[in-house]
């Protein structure tokens, strides 16, 4: 109800209340169906965003994340996440937007990279413009399209993986689209590092299988010895009788044919 009212005073209270859940520092704003901002949390001059592509899509009822745009008020480059505000009858009467500065996105991705040394990350749009490039910050700053042919293959494939050379080194690349955007995220991993990890996995697997085989053989040897023990006892008794010791007895607790054979042997020597 607060946000549907499109009343500046009520929106001020509402947006201050919900802003901590959006990260605390990101700009939140509400615009009416004509694109006029009704309120924004940074206190700067209210602007008209009707010519923005994201506004036109949200008014059609879509939830979107925009291409990087230059904020009219703050002058910062960022992306806008926006959702439609619907009236009581379900019609779109405005939008709620949150502006995420690209610098914040870079900090987030750099943190991921710091925890995964050797990895590379590229985020690009359908025009091959990078929003983030761990190996080419200049292309991001200058908004230069990426010319490497494998990016064309990535844009055509949307989701998948491939092996290619990056700056003369063999890399594995995996890529997939980011929901509600026309962006694609690409992760790059050096082939030699991937193979080394695979070799390490193989070594661990071989060691594990080796231990299993050792336990198997040890268990089998124990079972064979346990099975052969009554037979060896019987053979010792036969040897003693053959040496003239007619009082020899065979102790066998097996409840099977070997046990019956031992009893028959003891009956013969009585």
């Amino acid at each position: 109800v607060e946000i549907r009212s499109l009343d500046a005073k009520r929106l001020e209270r509402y947006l201050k209340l919900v802003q901590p859940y959006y990260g605390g520092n990101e700009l939140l704003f509400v615009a009416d169906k004509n694109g006029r901002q009704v309120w924004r949390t940074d206190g700067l001059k209210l602007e008209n965003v009707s010519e923005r592509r994201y506004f036109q899509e949200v008014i059609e009822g879509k939830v979107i994340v925009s291409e990087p745009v230059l904020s009219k008020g703050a002058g910062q480059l960022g992306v806008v996440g926006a959702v439609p505000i619907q009236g009581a009858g379900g019609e779109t009467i405005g939008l709620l937007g949150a502006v995420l500065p690209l610098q914040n996105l870079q900090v987030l991705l750099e943190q991921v990279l710091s925890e995964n040394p050797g990895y590379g990350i590229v985020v690009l749009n359908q025009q091959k413009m990078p929003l983030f490039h761990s190996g080419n910050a200049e292309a991001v700053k200058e908004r230069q399209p990426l010319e490497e042919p494998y990016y064309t293959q990535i844009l055509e494939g949307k989701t998948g993986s491939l092996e290619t050379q990056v700056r003369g080194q063999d890399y594995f690349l995996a890529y997939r689209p980011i929901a509600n955007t026309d962006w694609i995220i690409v992760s790059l991993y050096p082939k030699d590092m991937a193979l080394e990890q695979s070799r390490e996995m193989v070594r661990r697997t071989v060691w594990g299988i080796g231990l299993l085989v050792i336990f198997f053989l040890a268990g089998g040897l124990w079972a064979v010895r346990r099975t052969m023990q009554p037979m060896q006892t019987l053979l010792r008794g036969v040897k003693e009788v053959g040496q003239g010791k007619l009082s020899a007895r065979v102790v066998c607790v097996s409840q099977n044919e070997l046990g019956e054979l031992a009893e028959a042997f003891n009956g013969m020597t009585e």
Side-chain angles (χ1 to χ4, degrees), residues 144-163:
Q144 299 172 354
L146 302 175
E147 300 297 338
E148 291 84 352
Y150 48 81
Y151 287 120
T152 300
Q153 183 178 346
I154 286 171
L155 291 174
E156 292 173 351
K158 301 298 183 183
T159 301
S161 61
L162 59 88
E163 181 181 342

Side-chain angles (χ1 to χ4, degrees), residues 156-174:
E156 292 173 351
K158 301 298 183 183
T159 301
S161 61
L162 59 88
E163 181 181 342
T164 188
Q165 282 203 333
V166 179
R167 296 184 295 276
Q169 185 178 358
D170 291 332
Y171 271 77
F172 290 124
L173 276 63

Side-chain angles (χ1 to χ4, degrees), residues 11 16 18 40 49 54 60 101 120 136 147 184 210 224 231 247:
L11 286 173
K16 286 183 178 179
V18 301
R40 51 188 294 160
V49 296
Y54 68 80
E60 294 176 359
N136 192 350
E147 300 297 338
I184 290 181
V224 169
M231 181 66 73
S247 61

Side-chain angles (χ1 to χ4, degrees), residues 65-183:
V65 177
S66 76
E67 288 290 301
V69 295
L70 187 65
S71 171
K72 291 184 177 182
Q76 288 184 328
L77 191 64
V79 295
V80 179
V83 297
I85 299 172
Q86 295 181 331
E91 73 283 7
T92 300
I93 61 174
L95 68 82
L96 169 64
V99 180
L100 175 66
L102 277 186
Q103 184 179 0
N104 293 10
L105 177 63
Q106 292 170 353
V107 170
L108 176 63
L109 292 177
E110 285 169 358
Q111 181 178 354
V112 172
L113 289 172
S114 69
E115 297 171 357
N116 297 275
Y119 269 101
I121 295 177
V122 177
V123 180
L124 71 160
N125 64 14
Q126 296 298 316
Q127 290 72 45
K128 294 193 279 190
M129 295 284 190
L131 285 75
F132 179 86
H133 195 311
S134 56
N136 192 350
E138 189 67 22
V140 178
K141 182 179 179 181
E142 300 297 330
R143 303 292 290 153
Q144 299 172 354
L146 302 175
E147 300 297 338
E148 291 84 352
Y150 48 81
Y151 287 120
T152 300
Q153 183 178 346
I154 286 171
L155 291 174
E156 292 173 351
K158 301 298 183 183
T159 301
S161 61
L162 59 88
E163 181 181 342
T164 188
Q165 282 203 333
V166 179
R167 296 184 295 276
Q169 185 178 358
D170 291 332
Y171 271 77
F172 290 124
L173 276 63
Y175 50 93
R176 64 174 300 148
I178 300 176
N180 297 321
T181 74
D182 65 351
W183 308 348

